Amino acid sequence: MASIKLPGFSSSLIKARFLPFNHDGSRGNTVVCIRRDVDPLSLEFSSTNSLRTLSLRSYASSSPVISAKLTTEASAKVIDGKSVAKTIRDEVAAEVSRMKDAIGVAPGLAVILVGNKKDSATYVRNKKKACESVGINSFEVHLPEDSAEQEVLKFISGFNDDPTVHGILVQLPLPSHMNEQNILNAVSLEKDVDGFHPLNIGRLAMRGRDPLFVPCTPKGCVELLHRYGVEIKGKRAVVIGRSNIVGMPAALLLQREDATVSIVHSRTKNPEEVTRQADIIISAVGQPNMVRGNWIKPGAVIIDVGINPVEDSKSPRGYQLVGDVCYEEACKVASAITPVPGGVGPMTIAMLLSNTLISAKRMHNFQ
Ligand code: NDP
């Protein structure tokens, strides 16, 4: 909220016409409110889009036209994934506790990690910690890099048959000698909390069918839109990236919610032109700061999935994490945006916990 004070004018004189303009000359979606309780007359305004200049004129019958101009840098609302994820984790914890009290069962999540990739080990550690924090039991198998595919399949089969396990997650990527497809297909459909099983993805794509699980990162993106009251139905959405784990299921989810969806990928001609049509942008590319301010329609909502390390000598780690979207530029054009870090990242684990709870409730027929 900003304000302009107009000395020498009283609110009784005012019959005002407000002419808010966007930087591109179009009419802005600006709310102006006349404070009647203050002297001098005070006009307060807030803008949900890229307002740069606000022009005000008062046409009071016995007074000359007044006009005021104020230049401001509009700033998008921050979609705080960290805070939403915390709320979801609290909700999951409450449900887990209710389930334990009612039927004496706690949800269980099994995680299989193959090899010594540092970031994969960190993700697995974080998932385990998150499970503990909400009362979900976690089971972990860590196999050496040179394990045989059969070894992984054996553990999956054991977890498929284990009634205390309600979700199975194979940490990707797998070592290159393993067939990822064979391994993901072996996870029981009912325990596929990552939602990567082809049958779950297929059901996501089909009208009239429901997947048992929706992949965690895209589900987290759409959950953020819901919790921030962003309308999806009838909107134009552009998903940048078409990977099996983020871009493609994100596009499927948006179209299930009645958005008109376009997908931009590495072979798209004029990606900026396509992206500029979007009311909602989900970007999952892995290219730092690729989406610039001039790719964005004023007032668009941006969900930035990208997590990209870029060199930063001032940071103690020598790098900082940035998204696919140039945050500084996007903030001035979009109406809302997720930060990186602290946007989609925390939502992914929250959705995994939520999927594991859903699975346990379904298996035990617990409402
Ligand atoms: P992939 O590498 O699997 O997919 C990237 C996609 O981006 C591909 O579809 C590719 O197109 C497209 N692409 C690449 N370059 C361009 C370009 N110049 N213009 C348009 N499209 C392009 O990545 P992921 O989907 O696994 O991950 C994407 C990003 O999201 C990464 O930064 C990753 O770290 C992050 N991520 C974040 C998560 C979170 O929890 N926040 C979870 C998962 C991922 P094509 O198909 O034509 O090759």
Side-chain angles (χ1 to χ4, degrees):
M1 182 75 79
S3 72
I4 302 176
K5 288 195 190 320
L6 301 172
F9 286 85
S10 74
S11 54
S12 58
L13 278 178
I14 204 99
K15 188 174 150 224
R17 191 144 61 88
F18 301 107
L19 305 170
F21 288 107
N22 288 328
H23 59 61
D24 62 357
S26 64
R27 290 297 298 272
N29 177 16
T30 301
V31 180
V32 181
C33 112
I34 303 169
R35 293 281 307 278
R36 292 187 178 279
D37 54 336
V38 290
D39 194 29
L41 178 66
S42 170
L43 302 166
E44 293 191 337
F45 67 92
S46 61
S47 172
T48 53
N49 52 10
S50 59
L51 180 76
R52 294 281 176 83
T53 303
L54 177 75
S55 300
L56 300 172
R57 284 162 186 220
S58 157
Y59 297 90
S61 52
S62 59
S63 73
V65 170
I66 55 162
S67 73
K69 263 197 165 184
L70 181 139
T71 303
T72 177
E73 286 289 293
S75 192
K77 183 195 283 181
V78 176
I79 298 179
D80 185 350
K82 211 167 156 186
S83 144
V84 175
K86 157 101 180 52
T87 305
I88 293 170
R89 282 156 82 138
D90 290 347
E91 289 165 4
V92 170
E95 278 299 280
V96 168
S97 161
R98 190 171 70 86
M99 188 171 170
K100 273 185 194 166
D101 289 347
I103 59 170
V105 173
L109 175 70
V111 181
I112 300 175
L113 171 66
V114 189
N116 295 314
K117 264 188 112 237
K118 245 181 160 179
D119 49 349
S120 292
T122 307
Y123 295 143
V124 168
R125 203 169 43 246
N126 290 343
K127 285 167 188 171
K128 198 171 168 195
K129 268 201 332 220
C131 282
E132 278 162 14
S133 75
V134 297
I136 291 178
N137 294 326
S138 67
F139 309 89
E140 190 189 327
V141 171
H142 190 174
L143 296 170
E145 177 85 22
D146 57 359
S147 306
E149 194 174 307
Q150 276 309 318
E151 191 74 4
V152 181
L153 291 171
K154 194 182 83 194
F155 278 102
I156 292 177
S157 165
F159 288 136
N160 280 343
D161 295 338
D162 184 341
T164 64
V165 171
H166 306 95
I168 303 170
L169 184 154
V170 181
Q171 185 64 43
L172 300 177
L174 287 161
S176 53
H177 66 277
M178 291 188 184
N179 184 326
E180 184 182 296
Q181 205 175 318
N182 282 349
I183 288 176
L184 294 184
N185 286 359
V187 173
S188 151
L189 196 59
E190 285 74 27
K191 299 188 179 186
D192 174 39
V193 284
D194 248 345
F196 294 158
H197 194 291
L199 271 175
N200 269 324
I201 296 283
R203 289 182 184 183
L204 189 64
M206 290 171 81
R207 282 186 80 88
R209 302 286 177 90
D210 287 318
L212 291 176
F213 302 99
V214 173
C216 300
T217 302
K219 185 176 176 183
C221 295
V222 172
E223 187 69 27
L224 283 176
L225 294 174
H226 287 163
R227 296 219 179 201
Y228 273 80
V230 177
E231 186 158 359
I232 301 176
K233 188 175 182 171
K235 300 290 177 186
R236 293 204 70 133
V238 167
V239 177
I240 317 180
R242 55 175 168 180
S243 71
N244 286 344
I245 62 169
V246 193
M248 184 264 293
L252 293 174
L253 266 180
L254 288 171
Q255 68 82 21
R256 277 179 89 89
E257 301 226 5
D258 296 326
T260 303
V261 185
S262 305
I263 298 176
V264 167
H265 48 75
S266 66
R267 310 293 161 88
T268 302
K269 295 210 164 76
N270 302 327
E272 58 276 25
E273 221 168 81
V274 180
T275 308
R276 221 171 4 245
Q277 293 173 17
D279 303 305
I280 298 168
I281 299 170
I282 296 185
S283 183
V285 176
Q287 301 275 349
N289 299 323
M290 185 184 90
V291 178
R292 309 304 302 245
N294 62 1
W295 290 39
I296 299 162
K297 174 172 159 181
V301 175
I302 302 175
I303 305 290
D304 189 354
V305 183
I307 303 177
N308 310 296
V310 294
E311 225 172 85
D312 178 8
S313 54
K314 285 188 223 119
S315 153
R317 293 178 300 185
Y319 69 93
Q320 59 162 314
L321 296 177
V322 301
D324 294 341
V325 179
C326 179
Y327 191 81
E328 288 69 30
E329 292 179 10
C331 264
K332 294 172 190 158
V333 191
S335 62
I337 183 167
T338 54
V340 176
V344 177
M347 289 298 287
T348 299
I349 290 190
M351 291 298 110
L352 175 67
L353 302 177
S354 160
N355 277 355
T356 306
L357 172 66
I358 289 170
S359 178
K361 280 179 158 185
R362 186 161 42 220
M363 279 184 204
H364 294 277
N365 205 12
F366 180 73
Q367 306 295 318

